[in-house]
Amino acid sequence: MIWDLDFALLLFMIICAIAAITVRDLLHAAVILAAYSLIMTVLWSEMNAVDVAFTEAVVGAGVTTVLFIAAIARTERSSSD
Amino acid sequence: MVDVTGLLPAVTVVIPLLAAVMILVSGRHENIRDGFTVAAAVAMLVSVVAMLPSILSGERITISLIPLLPGGDLALRVDAFGMVFALTAAVLWLLNSFYSIGYMRSLKEHAQTRFFFCLAVAIAAAIGIAFSANLVTLLVFYEILTIITYPLVVHVETPEAMAAGRKYLAYLLIGGIFFLAAVILTYILTGTTGFVPGGFLAGSAPPLTLQILFVLFMVGFVKAAWMPLHGWLPAAMVAPTPVSAFLHAVAVVTAGVFGIVRIAGWVYGMDLLASLGLGTLLAVIASFTIITASLFALTEDNLKRRLAYSTVSQLSYILLGVSMLSIAGMTGAMAHIPIHAFLKITLFFVAGAVIVAAGRERISDMKGIGRKMPVTAVMFSAAAIGICGLPPLSGLISKVYLALGAVEGGVPILLIVLIASTVLNAAYFFPIIHTMLLGRPDDERSLDSVSEPPLTMLVPIVLTTVASVLIFFFPSMPFMDLVEIAIGEITGSVIP
Amino acid sequence: MIEHLPVLLVTVPIVAALLILLLGWHDSRFCYPLTLATILFQFAGGIALLIEVMREGTIHYYLGGWAPPLGIEFVIDTFNGYILPIVLLLALATAVYARRSVEKEIKPEKIVSFYVLFQLLVTGLVGMTITGDIFNLYVFLEISSIAAYTLIASSRKPRAYVAALNYLVLGSIAGGFVLLGIGNLYVATGTLNMADLARLLPASYGLATVHTAFLLLVIGFSIKVALFPLHLWLPDAYTEAPSAVTVLISTVMAKVSVYAMFRVIFSVFTTAYFVETVPVTELILFIAAVAIVAGAVLAIAQEDLKRMLAYSSVSQVGYIVFALGVANQIALEGGLLHILGHAVMKGCLFMVAGVIIYRLGTSSFSDLKGVAATMPVTCAAFALAGASMIGVPPTIGFASKYYLVLGALEAGHWVYAAVLLAGSLLAVGYIWRFIEVAYFSASSHHEGGDHHPAPGVREAPLSMLVPMVILSILCLVLGIFVDPLMKIVAPAVSLLLGGA
Amino acid sequence: MEAVLEAFLSHYNYGMAIILMMIGLYALIAKQNLVKKLIGLNIFQTAIFLFYISFADVEGGIAPIYLPEGMEAIYVNPLPHVLILTAIVVGVSVTAVGLSLIVRIYEEYGVIDEAGLLKMVKRR
């Protein structure tokens, strides 16, 4: 475990999380959430949880993002907050 | 005292319940339905009377149905005091059944099936109260009685009736909650709730706890309509008259005072009550109620409401008797339960008869009505005289015992209360008698259409009056004998 | 066969759900009988397990033969042996009731998925009840929750979507809290088996991790059982869901959540922890008392039967949690009795509401005047179950109230006992709303004769009437035969208080 | 200073996980937009997963992959990983259900924020 790498990744994740819930464009928010999940994947594989990391890459960054984008496509993109 | 096990107490309670089911089933056919009411009333009376000899010989009939809750099984025990109540209720229910059928049919009331169903369940609950062997069973039947009489009270379904019904329910259910609290507290203090002649609470807790517990019980028995917790009773007068008769004589208020006497004699015991100073508390409540309620009655023009206040006042005679904590006082209290019931039901029957035959409820509208319905009016006068405590009616008996108790107990002030109340009774009853028999209607022809009520109503009126006279001449058969046994049970002595 | 029963109770329905899906695709008429048969099987199994437990003691079933701590085990002891038949009885009653109700309230093309989800919900709840592994509990919790969100949304009313989403959001927070709490427990002990947890935890009672876990789990389950300030999802969810779903989630799901809460608090943490280590009983009592009163007051204020019953559930949950706060033998007996009693009576009451919606299309009080004249059996069922809700003896509602007050007084909680009694009076306030409207309302009054039925409105269909009437009669029968019932409840409580 | 750094180093990822949870929870409760709520839910859930993975990690441990006979190594604890695999599946199901509900709500009411929804529901 390389603590400074971990630390940087975590920090970056927090930034992503805040960004995901603050941007007004929901499509952007969904993409940022995907990025968040990908960083999580990296973090987990670095923490020796390779199996979970793979799953998260597929399900968290993949399926979830697709679901979000599909839902946003059928509703509206802009958000008031 | 010998306890024997027998099935009859349970049978007595089940008979009206079965009848209730049959009434629901046969609701579409009026005659069959009302046949079930009468049949059940007869069967129940037979079953009660069948137990009488064994009770009079000093036995108690017990039956434990099922274990219910910690503190008490669902158990019945018929003792002499319970028999006093049960016999009163059984006899009066039979008469009341005929009367109700006549009344409801004459007025073409709606929802008669519901009416008779509730009446049947209510009488089962009343008998259950009379036969309860412990506080838990008493509580069960007491609450059933509360709930099942509600549809009777709101029978006419007018907004006024609904408001009265809410008041009725509020008083009685809040009372029920206090009763429940008292029962649970009793169980926690003593580990039992079974009635024991002479009481079982002595020494189980500090005096203050027992005093609070007694107050809980008193509020619990709000059905006894002691002031200032009497408000529900006059309000409930919106109900059809047979219901009023039922509330006032057969079941509800009687259940309230019955409960208080039970608590005094079989849970606390007179010695404990005396040492806790609770006799004084009861005496104050009872005296206040007797006088104030009589004064209220004076101002009422509506006959049924005046009778309601009269009931409030008369019930407190029973509390007064208990408060004397003497044998004579207790005797008077117990004897007053059936005596008052028989007299009061006559008065209500008459009030209902006047509604059916003449459509009048206000006393000022009844001028000269006695000329058209002589039998009814005479019976009313007789019963009113009885309530005042004049011979040759039963009212005198309990009054004598109460007076004796007051003197014996060395509290002459209670004697003054009794005398004052007799004067007040006369003051609110004699004007009615005068109006009915001797009054002259403002418009002579308005009475043309008035005649005696149908026989189904007239006969019960006559019978209850005759019963009151018979009780005066043959007091020991069987009520005073039962009271004597009951007194012997809780004090170990006999009536002087 | 009998030794594999625990696992069959979970696997058979899952297979059945798949079968329903496949056959239902072909012909949707297969769905209902299959569902009914499966739940009937589960019910029989539940009863068999209860008898087995009462006779032989706790049953351990190792999933796939792997013994804990490696494998997952199903444990049936006196506590969940008691809960399981309740769950399945109500599920069975709902299944019988559902057929007609579903035909009317759910779009035909969704009926297949309705039964599949129904099956999954029941199975998830059964799994929650019998599992001995705390993470497995979480998984089953989420399975049943997801099924519940979807079922609520299967209503034709668009508001149901909003209600379902609200429930989903709060339910997921609850799930997250539970998951986090479980993680903390694992950190503290290194095991997920509940029996092992109970054995290992006392060593680390002082740790902040354990306190955090306790807090998270209690808050998570409090949301799931809708304990008063956390009840916000409940009224909408219960009101907007299809009638059959309301019955199911208001009885079975609510009760299993309570079970899980009790299980975790008593069997994982033990009384020693939450009475002595972190003395929260006073706080729990206070919250329960507030829930009882506030729920009842809110219920009285409602203008719609179904919504009123929903708030009544908020109040009634308070009674059960109250037992948790008192935490002595008698009060807990009352609490466990109330789990059964409330399931039966609330199930009956919601069935009545569903039947009324089925026939009248509305459950708003203003539209129900004189409904007793046209639907006498339905209203009689309501009256009986309502009496039980108020606590009129000798119903089951009275028995549980009696035990609760007795327990509270024995523990010296005078004030709270008084609140409990007052709360039952408030129940009169809301139950009587319906009684007055249905039975004694002016519009039903006709001069000179009995009530006449309004045209077009008839008594409910038989398949809805039967489960409803049976449940209402159960309110009375269980109340009278409460003593034999206590022979099952008392050992369960002893087990809870004894730990493990 | 050394001790503080030590304590920080051994616990900072828990702290970070908690911060992420709080961000998610905040979005779940405070955000008006329903999609934002679900994004918050996702962040909340993954943060919990992070917490599990963090405590499973062992100083100097390696991934729990089978090693040939004779090689010794400290594995990280595999059990939380298995648990989280399950939890991820559960999480994505919840997200899917939630999103489909949002789509339905949008079809019915034409809005996906809470305030607007409240207005629409009241109007019906």
Side-chain angles (χ1 to χ4, degrees):
Chain A
M1 194 163 88
I2 313 141
W3 83 266
D4 24 14
L5 176 61
D6 271 13
F7 191 73
L9 286 173
L10 279 165
L11 233 100
F12 199 53
M13 268 168 57
I14 289 177
I15 293 166
C16 278
I18 294 173
I21 65 167
T22 26
V23 290
R24 295 286 165 109
D25 189 325
L26 290 178
L27 212 53
H28 293 181
V31 173
I32 297 170
L33 189 67
Y36 165 91
S37 292
L38 279 173
I39 304 164
M40 189 69 98
T41 309
V42 175
L43 186 65
W44 285 350
S45 53
E46 197 273 330
M47 283 175 157
N48 299 316
V50 193
D51 41 358
V52 189
F54 282 145
T55 319
E56 173 69 9
V58 174
V59 174
V63 178
T64 309
T65 312
V66 171
L67 286 172
F68 265 106
I69 290 173
I72 293 164
R74 294 174 66 179
T75 57
E76 51 190 46
R77 264 180 81 168
S78 65
S79 157
S80 55
D81 57 354
Chain B
M1 285 305 121
V2 190
D3 281 347
V4 293
T5 308
L7 209 56
L8 267 183
V11 170
T12 318
V13 176
V14 168
I15 287 171
L17 284 179
L18 277 181
V21 174
M22 296 314 293
I23 286 168
L24 269 195
V25 172
S26 62
R28 286 176 198 286
H29 311 284
E30 255 192 5
N31 289 330
I32 300 176
R33 179 193 68 200
D34 296 348
F36 277 118
T37 301
V38 174
V42 172
M44 202 181 83
L45 184 59
V46 168
S47 151
V48 170
V49 170
M51 285 186 280
L52 196 54
S54 112
I55 304 298
L56 283 172
S57 70
E59 288 175 346
R60 288 185 303 199
I61 306 174
T62 62
I63 178 166
S64 183
L65 299 173
I66 43 166
L68 197 64
L69 294 167
D73 300 350
L74 195 65
L76 301 176
R77 184 173 66 196
V78 190
D79 61 2
F81 180 51
M83 200 65 195
V84 171
F85 181 20
L87 194 59
T88 311
V91 172
L92 293 183
W93 189 45
L94 180 58
L95 297 174
N96 193 28
S97 300
F98 283 112
Y99 182 84
S100 309
I101 293 166
Y103 183 94
M104 299 302 276
R105 290 191 179 183
S106 299
L107 291 184
K108 297 193 170 51
E109 280 280 352
H110 72 118
Q112 292 192 18
T113 306
R114 182 177 85 200
F115 179 88
F116 285 108
F117 168 78
C118 292
L119 223 46
V121 179
I123 194 69
I127 295 292
I129 290 171
F131 291 169
S132 294
N134 55 43
L135 284 170
V136 172
T137 314
L138 184 60
L139 175 68
V140 168
F141 287 113
Y142 192 81
E143 294 275 319
I144 293 175
L145 186 60
T146 302
I147 295 289
I148 204 67
T149 44
Y150 170 85
L152 298 172
V153 170
V154 299
H155 185 82
V156 293
E157 298 180 6
T158 55
E160 189 203 359
M162 296 316 288
R166 280 187 207 134
K167 195 170 183 180
Y168 180 83
L169 210 58
Y171 271 94
L172 295 195
L173 283 179
I174 292 174
I177 293 291
F178 276 84
F179 187 17
L180 173 61
V183 171
I184 292 178
L185 199 55
T186 310
Y187 173 67
I188 288 181
L189 292 178
T190 63
T192 171
T193 66
F195 297 128
V196 177
F200 60 89
L201 272 180
S204 63
L208 183 64
T209 312
L210 291 180
Q211 281 161 341
I212 292 171
L213 180 61
F214 191 75
V215 174
L216 287 179
F217 272 121
M218 282 297 288
V219 179
F221 289 111
V222 65
K223 282 197 172 96
W226 48 275
M227 278 182 166
L229 297 182
H230 67 290
W232 60 274
L233 190 56
M237 283 303 107
V238 294
T241 313
V243 173
S244 307
F246 188 83
L247 295 187
H248 283 256
V250 185
V252 178
V253 295
T254 326
V257 285
F258 176 85
I260 293 178
V261 176
R262 253 298 185 236
I263 299 303
W266 280 261
V267 174
Y268 276 77
M270 293 205 280
D271 295 338
L272 181 61
L273 284 180
S275 71
L276 292 172
L278 290 168
T280 323
L281 174 77
L282 263 179
V284 171
I285 292 176
S287 308
F288 171 75
T289 309
I290 290 173
I291 302 296
T292 320
S294 301
L295 291 174
F296 277 20
L298 273 176
T299 64
E300 278 291 346
D301 189 34
N302 183 307
L303 178 57
K304 279 170 72 181
R305 286 181 68 91
R306 187 177 286 196
L307 292 178
Y309 279 110
S310 162
T311 305
V312 174
S313 165
Q314 290 288 321
L315 287 174
S316 280
Y317 275 52
I318 296 163
L319 300 193
L320 196 70
V322 175
S323 79
M324 292 167 186
L325 301 175
S326 65
I327 291 174
M330 208 64 173
T331 311
M334 287 185 188
H336 200 58
I337 291 178
I339 287 170
H340 172 255
F342 275 91
L343 289 168
K344 193 45 71 59
I345 204 167
T346 315
L347 296 174
F348 271 105
F349 280 174
V350 171
V354 174
I355 291 173
V356 168
R360 288 155 205 232
E361 290 192 35
R362 308 185 76 81
I363 296 162
S364 49
D365 291 340
M366 293 179 189
K367 288 176 187 146
I369 212 164
R371 268 175 268 170
K372 290 286 184 179
M373 13 192 345
V375 181
T376 315
V378 168
M379 293 304 148
F380 183 88
S381 312
I385 290 170
I387 294 251
C388 296
L390 299 176
L393 279 115
S394 51
L396 182 64
I397 299 175
S398 45
K399 270 207 175 151
V400 166
Y401 276 111
L402 289 175
L404 215 73
V407 176
E408 215 177 59
V411 266
I413 184 134
L414 296 184
L415 200 59
I416 297 171
V417 170
L418 280 173
I419 293 168
S421 133
T422 309
V423 172
L424 284 168
N425 284 345
Y428 63 76
F429 271 130
F430 285 175
I432 309 177
I433 300 174
H434 183 269
T435 312
M436 279 182 154
L437 289 177
L438 304 171
R440 240 167 218 302
D442 307 327
D443 175 8
E444 286 288 345
R445 274 186 300 172
S446 70
L447 286 177
D448 283 353
S449 60
V450 176
S451 63
E452 288 286 1
L455 273 184
T456 46
M457 299 173 72
L458 198 59
V459 171
I461 295 176
V462 176
L463 285 179
T464 49
T465 320
V466 171
S468 293
V469 177
L470 285 178
I471 293 174
F472 176 76
F473 285 109
F474 308 101
S476 62
M477 280 306 287
F479 287 114
M480 291 314 284
D481 283 352
L482 288 173
V483 171
E484 192 178 337
I485 296 169
I487 296 286
E489 221 180 272
I490 55 172
T491 61
S493 55
V494 287
I495 301 180
Chain C
M1 174 75 180
I2 183 93
E3 68 266 21
H4 287 296
L5 201 51
V7 72
L8 287 178
L9 282 186
V10 179
T11 46
V12 167
I14 290 179
V15 174
L18 284 174
L19 215 60
I20 293 168
L21 195 60
L22 290 176
L23 287 175
W25 217 343
H26 177 67
D27 185 344
S28 65
R29 275 175 306 177
F30 285 118
C31 297
Y32 181 70
L34 254 173
T35 312
L36 200 60
T38 318
I39 292 183
L40 210 57
F41 161 76
Q42 283 177 293
F43 179 63
I47 298 282
L49 281 178
L50 174 62
I51 295 169
E52 187 76 7
V53 166
M54 293 311 288
R55 205 178 328 142
E56 309 282 339
T58 308
I59 301 170
H60 294 269
Y61 182 84
Y62 303 135
L63 224 56
W66 293 84
L70 282 179
I72 294 169
E73 72 168 335
F74 285 165
V75 180
I76 295 112
D77 54 26
T78 43
F79 181 31
N80 54 11
Y82 165 72
I83 300 289
L84 191 61
I86 301 176
V87 170
L88 292 166
L89 170 74
L90 266 300
L92 182 62
T94 317
V96 174
Y97 175 88
R99 191 171 66 94
R100 294 295 290 268
S101 161
V102 162
E103 278 170 11
K104 192 144 179 168
E105 287 183 37
I106 289 172
K107 291 179 190 140
E109 70 267 21
K110 282 191 183 167
I111 286 194
V112 178
S113 60
F114 176 88
Y115 284 117
V116 173
L117 287 165
F118 189 96
Q119 197 74 74
L120 282 180
L121 176 52
V122 173
T123 309
L125 295 172
V126 169
M128 267 176 90
T129 312
I130 60 178
T131 185
D133 180 285
I134 195 163
F135 191 83
N136 201 225
L137 178 77
Y138 164 80
V139 173
F140 279 123
L141 176 78
E142 288 291 347
I143 289 177
S144 55
S145 297
I146 292 171
Y149 309 143
T150 324
L151 280 174
I152 291 169
S154 68
S155 166
R156 286 188 181 188
K157 288 182 288 182
R159 279 187 72 168
Y161 303 142
V162 184
L165 189 71
N166 273 335
Y167 185 19
L168 181 137
V169 167
L170 277 165
S172 302
I173 295 178
F177 277 28
V178 170
L179 184 59
L180 207 52
I182 293 171
N184 273 313
L185 284 182
Y186 185 77
V187 171
T189 61
T191 178
L192 292 167
N193 185 287
M194 292 204 252
D196 288 344
L197 276 171
R199 200 160 37 77
L200 295 172
L201 265 181
S204 31
Y205 272 172
L207 289 183
T209 327
V210 179
H211 296 325
T212 319
F214 182 72
L215 198 69
L216 287 166
L217 286 166
V218 168
I219 293 177
F221 284 121
S222 295
I223 297 175
K224 276 285 165 197
V225 303
L227 187 58
F228 171 61
L230 305 174
H231 69 285
L232 295 168
W233 60 269
L234 181 142
D236 276 336
Y238 282 16
T239 314
E240 307 303 336
S243 303
V245 177
T246 309
V247 176
L248 198 66
I249 59 176
S250 69
T251 56
V252 181
M253 193 160 174
K255 294 305 162 288
V256 172
S257 307
V258 170
Y259 158 80
M261 189 173 184
F262 272 48
R263 178 58 96 190
V264 167
I265 288 181
F266 284 106
S267 295
V268 174
F269 282 96
T270 72
T271 4
Y273 178 77
F274 91 106
V275 174
E276 286 148 31
T277 316
V278 281
V280 288
T281 48
E282 279 289 333
L283 182 68
I284 292 177
L285 267 179
F286 178 75
I287 292 173
V290 172
I292 290 171
V293 174
V297 170
L298 286 167
I300 292 172
Q302 302 306 315
E303 289 302 324
D304 180 278
L305 175 60
K306 222 173 161 186
R307 193 166 279 271
M308 176 200 92
L309 293 175
Y311 277 105
S312 145
S313 278
V314 176
S315 175
Q316 299 292 322
V317 162
Y319 283 88
I320 302 171
V321 176
F322 189 92
L324 188 71
V326 178
N328 63 11
Q329 175 86 20
I330 295 181
L332 278 170
E333 283 174 9
L336 257 54
L337 209 55
H338 203 64
I339 290 180
L340 167 62
H342 183 243
V344 170
M345 58 207 185
K346 192 46 77 59
C348 177
L349 293 179
F350 269 121
M351 281 181 180
V352 170
V355 162
I356 285 174
I357 290 172
Y358 183 82
R359 281 295 188 218
L360 299 174
T362 168
S363 64
S364 163
F365 283 127
S366 55
D367 300 328
L368 302 182
K369 284 190 179 135
V371 72
T374 48
M375 307 171 81
V377 182
T378 306
C379 289
F382 186 98
L384 195 53
S388 179
M389 195 67 109
I390 297 168
V392 179
T395 56
I396 181 77
F398 170 73
S400 51
K401 196 170 76 180
Y402 187 94
Y403 276 98
L404 282 172
V405 175
L406 193 59
L409 282 182
E410 217 181 50
H413 299 294
W414 301 82
V415 181
Y416 289 119
V419 172
L420 199 74
L421 289 172
S424 69
L425 269 184
L426 290 172
V428 183
Y430 57 78
I431 292 296
W432 230 254
R433 284 291 299 280
F434 180 79
I435 300 277
E436 275 191 5
V437 168
Y439 279 95
F440 306 108
S441 159
S443 89
S444 70
H445 187 96
H446 295 275
E447 289 291 325
D450 276 9
H451 297 280
H452 295 295
V457 178
R458 286 172 296 125
E459 186 54 89
L462 200 64
S463 70
M464 298 172 89
L465 218 48
V466 168
M468 189 165 78
V469 169
I470 288 177
L471 287 186
S472 83
I473 291 174
L474 265 184
C475 290
L476 192 62
V477 170
L478 292 174
I480 293 172
F481 296 99
V482 67
D483 195 67
L485 202 59
M486 287 330 266
K487 297 203 167 44
I488 305 174
V489 173
V493 173
S494 313
L495 178 93
L496 288 184
L497 289 177
Chain D
M1 192 58 218
E2 198 74 359
V4 174
L5 187 70
E6 191 83 6
F8 170 75
L9 282 182
S10 61
H11 282 107
Y12 71 94
N13 44 0
Y14 296 113
M16 295 292 201
I18 288 168
I19 292 171
L20 283 174
M21 268 177 232
M22 290 304 149
I23 294 171
L25 212 52
Y26 163 79
L28 253 176
I29 292 164
K31 286 288 166 184
Q32 292 282 316
N33 189 292
L34 298 180
V35 178
K36 281 280 176 68
K37 274 179 188 286
L38 284 195
I39 291 177
L41 179 61
N42 260 285
I43 295 171
F44 178 58
Q45 284 174 334
T46 39
I48 297 172
F49 304 159
L50 174 62
F51 169 77
Y52 268 74
I53 303 299
S54 301
F55 72 65
D57 199 9
V58 183
E59 189 71 61
I62 64 160
I65 298 167
Y66 183 73
L67 291 174
E69 205 73 24
M71 285 182 73
E72 292 279 332
I74 311 166
Y75 291 135
V76 298
N77 189 343
L79 187 63
H81 296 177
V82 182
L83 304 182
I84 290 314
L85 287 181
T86 323
I88 286 176
V89 176
V90 168
V92 75
S93 323
V94 172
T95 309
V97 172
L99 284 170
S100 73
L101 284 174
I102 290 174
V103 171
R104 288 279 171 71
I105 289 172
Y106 185 78
E107 283 166 3
E108 283 293 336
Y109 296 102
V111 285
I112 51 165
D113 70 311
E114 236 176 12
L117 195 58
L118 212 63
K119 231 181 287 165
M120 296 298 290
V121 168
K122 276 208 177 115
R123 195 182 297 161
R124 295 248 169 139

